[in-house]
Amino acid sequence: MNRYSDTGRAMRLDPDSFASGYFQNAVYRHWDPYRDIPDELLEQDRERLVERDQTEAEFDGLRRTLALFGAGEEAVTEDLAPMSIALDDVDKQMFLSSQIYEEAKHTAFFDRYWRDVINPVAEAREFEVTNPTDERYFNDSYVELFDRTEEAMHRLLEDDSPEALARAYCHYHLVVESVLAQTGYYGIQGTWSPTGPDVEVQGEPVHLEGLVEGITRIRSDEGRHVGFGMHEVQRLIAEEGVDPGIVQETLQDLLPLVAGIVDDPTTDVDSTYLVEYATEKLQRRIEIITDREAQIPPIEELVHVEGGRDVSAD
């Protein structure tokens, strides 16, 4: 027997598996961060931000949001590989490969938006031109959450037990992807789109169609990531004997870090609604994954944001 032959399976892939279905969905819904977000939309965003009645501090609130998203996408692109190594199912490995590729696409979108929109606006308005890597945008809660996520992923190289896998899924798929990112989508949709939820906006309201279109396409990817993680944690509890208490403890332990990120002390905006939104999302995820009979919601439902375009429409 060698690593290329396998008496346990006739074909290499199981097209009917949960992971394979998600991989096929990823292939079908592929999008290009350079061409599918038209230059015209970014130019329109740039013009609207230049003309917007706003202070430099208000503009910096947008920059902080985009810096956090961009850094998070880059971190996941770098940190997810150990999980693929820890898994011994090729269908799951293929899905995670598509996920890493998608995180890289998201990183590219946020980099493009900063180059083509954010910096030109700062120059036109004579604001300070800043970098998305500037330390000012990353508070202690953000650094700790992503450092702990990196540790959970790299621990899999030494310990690939069901418990270690469950903790890793909790860190990345359920907290970073599901709760933190989803809360960010909610805030962006409410602040920069007229169809989003009714939230408090600093400065003159303006519709940034290029940003919202990019976020919409990113959500279409993240729904798969969240669903895969929820399915795997649910399976580890039901089939591998992982104590649900480990999952609940891990998630509840990370929630204060999420609250510390979304509750931005540098602005006068009341972020209570974002903290409440994140808490509600986390509680709902816990209810589903700890119930072996519960169905994982459809991808589109997992990342639905009030007023957001249906990501299944493409």
Side-chain angles (χ1 to χ4, degrees), residues 36-46 48-49 109 113 117 188-189 191-195 206-217 309:
D36 288 332
I37 314 296
D39 289 338
E40 292 77 14
L41 282 186
L42 299 192
E43 292 170 3
Q44 179 177 267
D45 283 10
R46 185 168 64 241
R48 288 177 176 178
L49 283 170
F109 169 75
Y113 200 88
V117 179
I188 288 176
Q189 191 75 34
T191 304
W192 304 107
S193 171
T195 64
V206 63
H207 185 190
L208 300 181
E209 294 182 54
L211 175 59
V212 172
E213 178 63 19
I215 290 295
T216 298
R217 291 181 179 273
R309 179 167 64 79

Side-chain angles (χ1 to χ4, degrees), residues 68-121:
L68 295 180
F69 260 111
E73 301 290 1
E74 179 183 338
V76 175
T77 304
E78 295 173 346
D79 297 338
L80 194 57
M83 178 173 282
S84 183
I85 295 173
L87 297 176
D88 58 4
D89 183 298
V90 68
D91 292 290
K92 295 177 183 179
Q93 291 171 330
M94 287 174 62
F95 173 75
L96 284 175
S97 296
S98 74
Q99 186 172 348
I100 292 173
Y101 168 60
E102 287 165 353
E103 304 298 352
K105 289 198 303 181
H106 306 167
T107 303
F109 169 75
F110 286 111
D111 181 80
R112 180 187 174 202
Y113 200 88
W114 200 284
R115 292 173 186 271
D116 293 353
V117 179
I118 296 300
N119 277 349
V121 171

Side-chain angles (χ1 to χ4, degrees), residues 254-294:
L254 296 174
L255 181 59
L257 298 179
V258 174
I261 295 168
V262 301
D263 187 15
D264 182 9
T266 65
T267 74
D268 296 327
V269 173
D270 183 4
S271 57
T272 302
Y273 74 96
L274 287 176
V275 176
E276 292 175 346
Y277 183 85
T279 303
E280 186 275 330
K281 281 293 177 186
L282 181 61
Q283 187 56 45
R284 180 58 183 148
R285 301 305 193 223
I286 292 175
E287 291 173 359
I288 293 174
I289 61 180
T290 56
D291 180 357
R292 66 183 303 164
E293 302 299 327

Side-chain angles (χ1 to χ4, degrees), residues 21 36 57 62-63 69 71-72 106 109 124 128 137 148 156 160 243 251 276 286 291 299:
D36 288 332
L62 172 60
R63 288 195 288 202
F69 260 111
H106 306 167
F109 169 75
E128 177 188 5
Y137 297 123
R148 287 170 64 172
L156 294 175
D160 61 358
D243 185 349
L251 295 175
E276 292 175 346
I286 292 175
D291 180 357
I299 293 172

Side-chain angles (χ1 to χ4, degrees), residues 125-169:
R125 292 296 298 267
E126 298 185 342
F127 294 158
E128 177 188 5
V129 176
T130 65
N131 297 321
T133 54
D134 195 305
E135 187 177 12
R136 76 181 75 180
Y137 297 123
F138 310 103
N139 65 18
D140 291 342
S141 293
Y142 187 92
V143 172
E144 183 175 350
L145 175 61
F146 280 90
D147 281 354
R148 287 170 64 172
T149 299
E150 179 185 27
E151 291 170 6
M153 292 296 171
H154 282 264
R155 194 174 298 121
L156 294 175
L157 297 175
E158 300 177 356
D159 176 12
D160 61 358
S161 65
E163 289 76 15
L165 277 167
R167 289 190 179 94
Y169 284 123

